[in-house]
Amino acid sequence: MAFLEIKNLKAEYVTDEGVVHALNQVDLELVQGETLGLVGETGAGKTTLAKCIMGLLPQKTGKIRSGEIYYDGEDLLKKNPKEMQKIRGAHIAMIFQDPMTSLNPVLTVGEQIAEAVENHERCSKMKAMERAQEMLELVGIPAARSGEYPHQFSGGMKQRVVIAMALACNPRLLIADEPTTALDVTIQAQVLEMMRELKSKFQTSLLLITHDLGVVAQNCDRVAVIYAGEIVESGTVMDVFKRMQHPYTQGLFSSIPKIHEEVKRLVPIPGLMPDPTSLPEGCKFCTRCPHADGRCRTEEPLLYEISPGHQVRCFRCGKGRCEA
Amino acid sequence: MSEKQVGNIIAKGTESRGLWGEAWHRFKKNKTAIAGLIIVILLVVIAIATWVIDAVTQGSVYNAYVIEQNLSQRLDGPSLQHIFGCDEYGRDILFRLLWGTRYSLFIGLISILIALVGGGFLGAVAGFYGGKLDNVIMRVMDVFLSIPSMVMAIAIVSALGSSIFNLLLSIAIPQIPRLARIVRASVMSVRDREFIEATRAVGASDSLIIWKYILPNAMAPIIVQASLSVGSAILSIAGLSFLGIGVQPPAPEWGSILNSARTYMRDAWHISVIPGLMIMITVLSLNLAGDGLRDALDPKLKN
């Protein structure tokens, strides 16, 4: 049973320069206890999707045009701000990309984690602080350091603090927006390892947003590839990594250097992501796709299921082929 | 050394003291700031002491030493009896300066407090909500800023008449747009920082975000501006009194002492130099203390 289900989500940013179509037709499902990797280029709409789920789109510019986000059978988009505030932190928590800037510089790390606890649980300051120290120990920081300020910690330690803060109220869903991008590789491995442990300990589901395919392969059960605000391919890690069908996914994988193959040049995907203020008609990838034909430029492909759980948004796959 | 050991060693040096405890700990290390603070406290003590003396003696000391004229000592220079000498009516300058402290200090502090409440509120609203509200508030502030503060103060006092309350208003109002600008700018710079969003993501309410996350982070420039403003407010009072529309003689306000001393500058330097020095020392020590406070409140400058 999917406990998070996103249907037909469309979101845009209304700016002076025009309407930025950040998300077009996003459908996604997440099962309890599962890790879903969300992969895509910069500007593909990964963070926007995370913010839509959290209800944290910028109020002035961000608009959700259509769609539903079901959490436990309830549509989050229909909730009022007060109700969303109760859900954030207690049910769904988020880890941000840059640990350097996501902690308040004038509060000690202990106070900050305790604050997250106090937001949702009626308990004394002492209790909350105890819980904060427990959480710190859990992420591998000695409780004695709870009285220190964020600037006294290194980047990796800060990210641990951020994770401790997000997990302080035992959320059922954790959204990690590129949690390791700002960290170096050894710390990245430590942090990911720790997240995996904590996830299995608390039975938390994880939506892992990243552009690092290695991280996905190591940590995720399922993967969704997002391009120009659309899910272009989703399936299990094996489906997407071994039997990828969408030309964009294939392009992504051929741009990764492989250690055991001697190649002079990598094969990048030619061209750039289309400008989100004026997306092409038809398939969003048609401008860069080596296989694009007339139909791709006029008609929008749907998500076609090519094997159970493996969906691809391309006319060349599954049912898309016969419909022509 | 393992991470845990390092943690324990660091933790020993910095026991949890809270924001203000931590700030005081850092403030103490700043010698110039401490010097400034001591002078400010001394001035406050003097102001309160003269008040108490007046209350206890029902103004007899005030009348005998500060107000009563003794023309035989007219323009006497500094001596053992009168350390700072006497003014053009033979009144002891030391006494007049001590009794004058309250005007400068309290009008300065209270007028900035009024300005801080007004400007702080307007600036915070403009900065936090932005948009049209911000535009309207800030354009009105711009209009106020375009009038020189002294001219506006003179206009207010001469329109409303010279009482202590009007004096407070006339000094507070020109300061409001300045403080509003600073508050707005620093609230805006903090509002869009990532940690605010991160706090929202764990379910914090708007009021908690404003009080615990935005204001403490926006406070440093506000405190500095406010403490500098107290200095300039004291100068304004002195200036208004010098022009004869501030505190009225024979009340011993420092600026009005300077004003009356102007005529005797050639014959009796002490009447103008000493009150001038008093004003300077007061403003300087306020600025030093304010600067130290700014540094102390910023945990990033800690070590």
PDB file of all heavy atoms in Angstrom, chain A residues 93-122:
ATOM      1  N   ALA A  93       9.483  15.015   7.393  1.00  0.00           N
ATOM      2  CA  ALA A  93      10.559  15.949   7.698  1.00  0.00           C
ATOM      3  C   ALA A  93      11.476  16.038   6.500  1.00  0.00           C
ATOM      4  O   ALA A  93      11.450  15.193   5.615  1.00  0.00           O
ATOM      5  CB  ALA A  93      11.335  15.495   8.928  1.00  0.00           C
ATOM      6  N   MET A  94      12.274  17.090   6.475  1.00  0.00           N
ATOM      7  CA  MET A  94      13.116  17.307   5.307  1.00  0.00           C
ATOM      8  C   MET A  94      14.528  17.682   5.722  1.00  0.00           C
ATOM      9  O   MET A  94      14.742  18.393   6.696  1.00  0.00           O
ATOM     10  CB  MET A  94      12.500  18.415   4.450  1.00  0.00           C
ATOM     11  CG  MET A  94      13.220  18.653   3.160  1.00  0.00           C
ATOM     12  SD  MET A  94      12.199  19.640   2.055  1.00  0.00           S
ATOM     13  CE  MET A  94      13.368  19.953   0.753  1.00  0.00           C
ATOM     14  N   ILE A  95      15.482  17.159   4.976  1.00  0.00           N
ATOM     15  CA  ILE A  95      16.880  17.538   5.184  1.00  0.00           C
ATOM     16  C   ILE A  95      17.300  18.368   3.990  1.00  0.00           C
ATOM     17  O   ILE A  95      17.066  17.978   2.854  1.00  0.00           O
ATOM     18  CB  ILE A  95      17.776  16.289   5.274  1.00  0.00           C
ATOM     19  CG1 ILE A  95      17.352  15.421   6.437  1.00  0.00           C
ATOM     20  CG2 ILE A  95      19.226  16.684   5.398  1.00  0.00           C
ATOM     21  CD1 ILE A  95      18.032  14.078   6.430  1.00  0.00           C
ATOM     22  N   PHE A  96      17.923  19.503   4.248  1.00  0.00           N
ATOM     23  CA  PHE A  96      18.255  20.383   3.135  1.00  0.00           C
ATOM     24  C   PHE A  96      19.664  20.129   2.627  1.00  0.00           C
ATOM     25  O   PHE A  96      20.490  19.503   3.277  1.00  0.00           O
ATOM     26  CB  PHE A  96      18.065  21.831   3.544  1.00  0.00           C
ATOM     27  CG  PHE A  96      16.621  22.194   3.661  1.00  0.00           C
ATOM     28  CD1 PHE A  96      15.928  21.950   4.839  1.00  0.00           C
ATOM     29  CD2 PHE A  96      15.946  22.732   2.590  1.00  0.00           C
ATOM     30  CE1 PHE A  96      14.588  22.252   4.940  1.00  0.00           C
ATOM     31  CE2 PHE A  96      14.610  23.034   2.691  1.00  0.00           C
ATOM     32  CZ  PHE A  96      13.934  22.797   3.871  1.00  0.00           C
ATOM     33  N   GLN A  97      19.886  20.694   1.461  1.00  0.00           N
ATOM     34  CA  GLN A  97      21.101  20.427   0.715  1.00  0.00           C
ATOM     35  C   GLN A  97      22.361  20.855   1.449  1.00  0.00           C
ATOM     36  O   GLN A  97      23.329  20.126   1.526  1.00  0.00           O
ATOM     37  CB  GLN A  97      20.989  21.181  -0.608  1.00  0.00           C
ATOM     38  CG  GLN A  97      22.113  20.916  -1.555  1.00  0.00           C
ATOM     39  CD  GLN A  97      21.768  21.473  -2.921  1.00  0.00           C
ATOM     40  OE1 GLN A  97      20.645  21.896  -3.162  1.00  0.00           O
ATOM     41  NE2 GLN A  97      22.702  21.451  -3.818  1.00  0.00           N
ATOM     42  N   ASP A  98      22.330  22.077   1.988  1.00  0.00           N
ATOM     43  CA  ASP A  98      23.571  22.629   2.508  1.00  0.00           C
ATOM     44  C   ASP A  98      23.543  22.700   4.032  1.00  0.00           C
ATOM     45  O   ASP A  98      22.885  23.551   4.605  1.00  0.00           O
ATOM     46  CB  ASP A  98      23.766  24.031   1.919  1.00  0.00           C
ATOM     47  CG  ASP A  98      25.147  24.565   2.233  1.00  0.00           C
ATOM     48  OD1 ASP A  98      25.882  23.883   2.981  1.00  0.00           O
ATOM     49  OD2 ASP A  98      25.482  25.640   1.753  1.00  0.00           O
ATOM     50  N   PRO A  99      24.271  21.818   4.699  1.00  0.00           N
ATOM     51  CA  PRO A  99      24.236  21.833   6.165  1.00  0.00           C
ATOM     52  C   PRO A  99      24.848  23.099   6.737  1.00  0.00           C
ATOM     53  O   PRO A  99      24.581  23.474   7.868  1.00  0.00           O
ATOM     54  CB  PRO A  99      25.062  20.606   6.547  1.00  0.00           C
ATOM     55  CG  PRO A  99      25.947  20.353   5.394  1.00  0.00           C
ATOM     56  CD  PRO A  99      25.182  20.791   4.185  1.00  0.00           C
ATOM     57  N   MET A 100      25.689  23.795   5.936  1.00  0.00           N
ATOM     58  CA  MET A 100      26.353  25.002   6.445  1.00  0.00           C
ATOM     59  C   MET A 100      25.327  26.090   6.737  1.00  0.00           C
ATOM     60  O   MET A 100      25.508  26.893   7.638  1.00  0.00           O
ATOM     61  CB  MET A 100      27.343  25.560   5.418  1.00  0.00           C
ATOM     62  CG  MET A 100      28.317  24.554   4.885  1.00  0.00           C
ATOM     63  SD  MET A 100      29.342  23.874   6.174  1.00  0.00           S
ATOM     64  CE  MET A 100      29.946  22.426   5.365  1.00  0.00           C
ATOM     65  N   THR A 101      24.260  26.146   5.934  1.00  0.00           N
ATOM     66  CA  THR A 101      23.316  27.247   6.096  1.00  0.00           C
ATOM     67  C   THR A 101      21.991  26.804   6.707  1.00  0.00           C
ATOM     68  O   THR A 101      21.131  27.634   6.924  1.00  0.00           O
ATOM     69  CB  THR A 101      23.022  27.913   4.742  1.00  0.00           C
ATOM     70  OG1 THR A 101      22.548  26.904   3.849  1.00  0.00           O
ATOM     71  CG2 THR A 101      24.244  28.546   4.170  1.00  0.00           C
ATOM     72  N   SER A 102      21.813  25.498   6.963  1.00  0.00           N
ATOM     73  CA  SER A 102      20.480  25.136   7.441  1.00  0.00           C
ATOM     74  C   SER A 102      20.386  25.035   8.964  1.00  0.00           C
ATOM     75  O   SER A 102      19.432  24.482   9.477  1.00  0.00           O
ATOM     76  CB  SER A 102      19.935  23.887   6.750  1.00  0.00           C
ATOM     77  OG  SER A 102      20.914  22.939   6.546  1.00  0.00           O
ATOM     78  N   LEU A 103      21.374  25.576   9.672  1.00  0.00           N
ATOM     79  CA  LEU A 103      21.251  25.651  11.134  1.00  0.00           C
ATOM     80  C   LEU A 103      21.299  27.118  11.568  1.00  0.00           C
ATOM     81  O   LEU A 103      22.039  27.917  10.998  1.00  0.00           O
ATOM     82  CB  LEU A 103      22.392  24.875  11.794  1.00  0.00           C
ATOM     83  CG  LEU A 103      22.329  23.359  11.654  1.00  0.00           C
ATOM     84  CD1 LEU A 103      23.613  22.728  12.164  1.00  0.00           C
ATOM     85  CD2 LEU A 103      21.146  22.798  12.398  1.00  0.00           C
ATOM     86  N   ASN A 104      20.497  27.429  12.575  1.00  0.00           N
ATOM     87  CA  ASN A 104      20.460  28.790  13.102  1.00  0.00           C
ATOM     88  C   ASN A 104      21.762  29.096  13.847  1.00  0.00           C
ATOM     89  O   ASN A 104      22.068  28.430  14.837  1.00  0.00           O
ATOM     90  CB  ASN A 104      19.263  28.910  14.042  1.00  0.00           C
ATOM     91  CG  ASN A 104      19.077  30.318  14.559  1.00  0.00           C
ATOM     92  OD1 ASN A 104      19.949  31.163  14.411  1.00  0.00           O
ATOM     93  ND2 ASN A 104      17.936  30.561  15.158  1.00  0.00           N
ATOM     94  N   PRO A 105      22.528  30.090  13.385  1.00  0.00           N
ATOM     95  CA  PRO A 105      23.835  30.333  13.994  1.00  0.00           C
ATOM     96  C   PRO A 105      23.785  30.820  15.440  1.00  0.00           C
ATOM     97  O   PRO A 105      24.793  30.734  16.132  1.00  0.00           O
ATOM     98  CB  PRO A 105      24.467  31.392  13.088  1.00  0.00           C
ATOM     99  CG  PRO A 105      23.347  31.992  12.329  1.00  0.00           C
ATOM    100  CD  PRO A 105      22.288  30.952  12.221  1.00  0.00           C
ATOM    101  N   VAL A 106      22.655  31.335  15.921  1.00  0.00           N
ATOM    102  CA  VAL A 106      22.648  31.860  17.289  1.00  0.00           C
ATOM    103  C   VAL A 106      22.024  30.912  18.311  1.00  0.00           C
ATOM    104  O   VAL A 106      21.927  31.257  19.475  1.00  0.00           O
ATOM    105  CB  VAL A 106      21.956  33.242  17.389  1.00  0.00           C
ATOM    106  CG1 VAL A 106      22.622  34.229  16.472  1.00  0.00           C
ATOM    107  CG2 VAL A 106      20.491  33.133  17.093  1.00  0.00           C
ATOM    108  N   LEU A 107      21.627  29.719  17.897  1.00  0.00           N
ATOM    109  CA  LEU A 107      21.136  28.750  18.864  1.00  0.00           C
ATOM    110  C   LEU A 107      22.103  27.577  18.922  1.00  0.00           C
ATOM    111  O   LEU A 107      22.680  27.196  17.911  1.00  0.00           O
ATOM    112  CB  LEU A 107      19.759  28.224  18.447  1.00  0.00           C
ATOM    113  CG  LEU A 107      18.537  29.111  18.638  1.00  0.00           C
ATOM    114  CD1 LEU A 107      17.287  28.345  18.297  1.00  0.00           C
ATOM    115  CD2 LEU A 107      18.446  29.612  20.062  1.00  0.00           C
ATOM    116  N   THR A 108      22.275  26.996  20.109  1.00  0.00           N
ATOM    117  CA  THR A 108      23.138  25.819  20.197  1.00  0.00           C
ATOM    118  C   THR A 108      22.429  24.658  19.501  1.00  0.00           C
ATOM    119  O   THR A 108      21.207  24.655  19.360  1.00  0.00           O
ATOM    120  CB  THR A 108      23.409  25.431  21.656  1.00  0.00           C
ATOM    121  OG1 THR A 108      22.161  25.059  22.254  1.00  0.00           O
ATOM    122  CG2 THR A 108      24.003  26.578  22.438  1.00  0.00           C
ATOM    123  N   VAL A 109      23.218  23.679  19.064  1.00  0.00           N
ATOM    124  CA  VAL A 109      22.612  22.580  18.310  1.00  0.00           C
ATOM    125  C   VAL A 109      21.594  21.834  19.176  1.00  0.00           C
ATOM    126  O   VAL A 109      20.542  21.423  18.684  1.00  0.00           O
ATOM    127  CB  VAL A 109      23.679  21.620  17.762  1.00  0.00           C
ATOM    128  CG1 VAL A 109      24.538  22.325  16.746  1.00  0.00           C
ATOM    129  CG2 VAL A 109      24.520  21.021  18.861  1.00  0.00           C
ATOM    130  N   GLY A 110      21.898  21.695  20.466  1.00  0.00           N
ATOM    131  CA  GLY A 110      20.962  21.024  21.360  1.00  0.00           C
ATOM    132  C   GLY A 110      19.625  21.750  21.399  1.00  0.00           C
ATOM    133  O   GLY A 110      18.570  21.149  21.253  1.00  0.00           O
ATOM    134  N   GLU A 111      19.681  23.073  21.566  1.00  0.00           N
ATOM    135  CA  GLU A 111      18.446  23.864  21.610  1.00  0.00           C
ATOM    136  C   GLU A 111      17.647  23.701  20.326  1.00  0.00           C
ATOM    137  O   GLU A 111      16.423  23.632  20.343  1.00  0.00           O
ATOM    138  CB  GLU A 111      18.784  25.353  21.787  1.00  0.00           C
ATOM    139  CG  GLU A 111      19.163  25.731  23.193  1.00  0.00           C
ATOM    140  CD  GLU A 111      19.628  27.179  23.271  1.00  0.00           C
ATOM    141  OE1 GLU A 111      20.523  27.573  22.504  1.00  0.00           O
ATOM    142  OE2 GLU A 111      19.090  27.908  24.091  1.00  0.00           O
ATOM    143  N   GLN A 112      18.371  23.649  19.208  1.00  0.00           N
ATOM    144  CA  GLN A 112      17.667  23.560  17.933  1.00  0.00           C
ATOM    145  C   GLN A 112      16.933  22.240  17.769  1.00  0.00           C
ATOM    146  O   GLN A 112      15.819  22.197  17.254  1.00  0.00           O
ATOM    147  CB  GLN A 112      18.647  23.754  16.779  1.00  0.00           C
ATOM    148  CG  GLN A 112      18.675  25.183  16.360  1.00  0.00           C
ATOM    149  CD  GLN A 112      19.719  25.475  15.321  1.00  0.00           C
ATOM    150  OE1 GLN A 112      19.472  25.379  14.146  1.00  0.00           O
ATOM    151  NE2 GLN A 112      20.895  25.846  15.758  1.00  0.00           N
ATOM    152  N   ILE A 113      17.566  21.161  18.205  1.00  0.00           N
ATOM    153  CA  ILE A 113      16.887  19.863  18.103  1.00  0.00           C
ATOM    154  C   ILE A 113      15.729  19.828  19.097  1.00  0.00           C
ATOM    155  O   ILE A 113      14.628  19.381  18.782  1.00  0.00           O
ATOM    156  CB  ILE A 113      17.874  18.714  18.344  1.00  0.00           C
ATOM    157  CG1 ILE A 113      19.013  18.781  17.318  1.00  0.00           C
ATOM    158  CG2 ILE A 113      17.164  17.382  18.249  1.00  0.00           C
ATOM    159  CD1 ILE A 113      20.142  17.833  17.595  1.00  0.00           C
ATOM    160  N   ALA A 114      15.979  20.362  20.305  1.00  0.00           N
ATOM    161  CA  ALA A 114      14.917  20.391  21.320  1.00  0.00           C
ATOM    162  C   ALA A 114      13.721  21.191  20.820  1.00  0.00           C
ATOM    163  O   ALA A 114      12.566  20.826  21.049  1.00  0.00           O
ATOM    164  CB  ALA A 114      15.457  20.993  22.614  1.00  0.00           C
ATOM    165  N   GLU A 115      14.007  22.271  20.100  1.00  0.00           N
ATOM    166  CA  GLU A 115      12.949  23.106  19.520  1.00  0.00           C
ATOM    167  C   GLU A 115      12.044  22.275  18.614  1.00  0.00           C
ATOM    168  O   GLU A 115      10.821  22.379  18.670  1.00  0.00           O
ATOM    169  CB  GLU A 115      13.620  24.213  18.697  1.00  0.00           C
ATOM    170  CG  GLU A 115      12.788  25.444  18.499  1.00  0.00           C
ATOM    171  CD  GLU A 115      12.742  26.264  19.759  1.00  0.00           C
ATOM    172  OE1 GLU A 115      13.745  26.911  20.125  1.00  0.00           O
ATOM    173  OE2 GLU A 115      11.690  26.223  20.388  1.00  0.00           O
ATOM    174  N   ALA A 116      12.681  21.431  17.787  1.00  0.00           N
ATOM    175  CA  ALA A 116      11.908  20.585  16.880  1.00  0.00           C
ATOM    176  C   ALA A 116      11.005  19.630  17.664  1.00  0.00           C
ATOM    177  O   ALA A 116       9.868  19.374  17.276  1.00  0.00           O
ATOM    178  CB  ALA A 116      12.847  19.791  15.971  1.00  0.00           C
ATOM    179  N   VAL A 117      11.513  19.142  18.797  1.00  0.00           N
ATOM    180  CA  VAL A 117      10.706  18.243  19.626  1.00  0.00           C
ATOM    181  C   VAL A 117       9.546  19.016  20.239  1.00  0.00           C
ATOM    182  O   VAL A 117       8.389  18.586  20.197  1.00  0.00           O
ATOM    183  CB  VAL A 117      11.568  17.613  20.751  1.00  0.00           C
ATOM    184  CG1 VAL A 117      10.712  16.754  21.662  1.00  0.00           C
ATOM    185  CG2 VAL A 117      12.703  16.804  20.159  1.00  0.00           C
ATOM    186  N   GLU A 118       9.858  20.219  20.775  1.00  0.00           N
ATOM    187  CA  GLU A 118       8.823  21.008  21.446  1.00  0.00           C
ATOM    188  C   GLU A 118       7.713  21.439  20.497  1.00  0.00           C
ATOM    189  O   GLU A 118       6.583  21.670  20.916  1.00  0.00           O
ATOM    190  CB  GLU A 118       9.446  22.246  22.085  1.00  0.00           C
ATOM    191  CG  GLU A 118      10.124  21.945  23.408  1.00  0.00           C
ATOM    192  CD  GLU A 118      10.915  23.136  23.894  1.00  0.00           C
ATOM    193  OE1 GLU A 118      10.372  24.242  23.917  1.00  0.00           O
ATOM    194  OE2 GLU A 118      12.102  22.950  24.236  1.00  0.00           O
ATOM    195  N   ASN A 119       8.049  21.564  19.205  1.00  0.00           N
ATOM    196  CA  ASN A 119       7.015  21.952  18.244  1.00  0.00           C
ATOM    197  C   ASN A 119       5.862  20.961  18.226  1.00  0.00           C
ATOM    198  O   ASN A 119       4.739  21.323  17.915  1.00  0.00           O
ATOM    199  CB  ASN A 119       7.599  22.017  16.830  1.00  0.00           C
ATOM    200  CG  ASN A 119       8.460  23.244  16.647  1.00  0.00           C
ATOM    201  OD1 ASN A 119       8.308  24.210  17.385  1.00  0.00           O
ATOM    202  ND2 ASN A 119       9.355  23.205  15.690  1.00  0.00           N
ATOM    203  N   HIS A 120       6.145  19.719  18.500  1.00  0.00           N
ATOM    204  CA  HIS A 120       5.122  18.695  18.303  1.00  0.00           C
ATOM    205  C   HIS A 120       4.719  17.940  19.549  1.00  0.00           C
ATOM    206  O   HIS A 120       3.641  17.393  19.619  1.00  0.00           O
ATOM    207  CB  HIS A 120       5.601  17.699  17.248  1.00  0.00           C
ATOM    208  CG  HIS A 120       5.785  18.348  15.918  1.00  0.00           C
ATOM    209  ND1 HIS A 120       4.724  18.799  15.182  1.00  0.00           N
ATOM    210  CD2 HIS A 120       6.896  18.672  15.227  1.00  0.00           C
ATOM    211  CE1 HIS A 120       5.177  19.349  14.071  1.00  0.00           C
ATOM    212  NE2 HIS A 120       6.492  19.293  14.074  1.00  0.00           N
ATOM    213  N   GLU A 121       5.620  17.868  20.523  1.00  0.00           N
ATOM    214  CA  GLU A 121       5.276  17.092  21.697  1.00  0.00           C
ATOM    215  C   GLU A 121       5.176  18.016  22.893  1.00  0.00           C
ATOM    216  O   GLU A 121       6.034  18.861  23.101  1.00  0.00           O
ATOM    217  CB  GLU A 121       6.343  16.011  21.933  1.00  0.00           C
ATOM    218  CG  GLU A 121       6.152  14.841  20.996  1.00  0.00           C
ATOM    219  CD  GLU A 121       7.411  13.999  20.863  1.00  0.00           C
ATOM    220  OE1 GLU A 121       8.110  13.813  21.865  1.00  0.00           O
ATOM    221  OE2 GLU A 121       7.684  13.551  19.741  1.00  0.00           O
ATOM    222  N   ARG A 122       4.104  17.837  23.674  1.00  0.00           N
ATOM    223  CA  ARG A 122       3.981  18.645  24.868  1.00  0.00           C
ATOM    224  C   ARG A 122       4.903  18.061  25.916  1.00  0.00           C
ATOM    225  O   ARG A 122       4.628  17.016  26.498  1.00  0.00           O
ATOM    226  CB  ARG A 122       2.538  18.603  25.377  1.00  0.00           C
ATOM    227  CG  ARG A 122       1.617  19.435  24.538  1.00  0.00           C
ATOM    228  CD  ARG A 122       0.202  19.195  24.935  1.00  0.00           C
ATOM    229  NE  ARG A 122      -0.566  20.406  24.631  1.00  0.00           N
ATOM    230  CZ  ARG A 122      -1.280  21.036  25.523  1.00  0.00           C
ATOM    231  NH1 ARG A 122      -1.329  20.608  26.752  1.00  0.00           N
ATOM    232  NH2 ARG A 122      -1.959  22.103  25.170  1.00  0.00           N
TER     233      ARG A 122
END
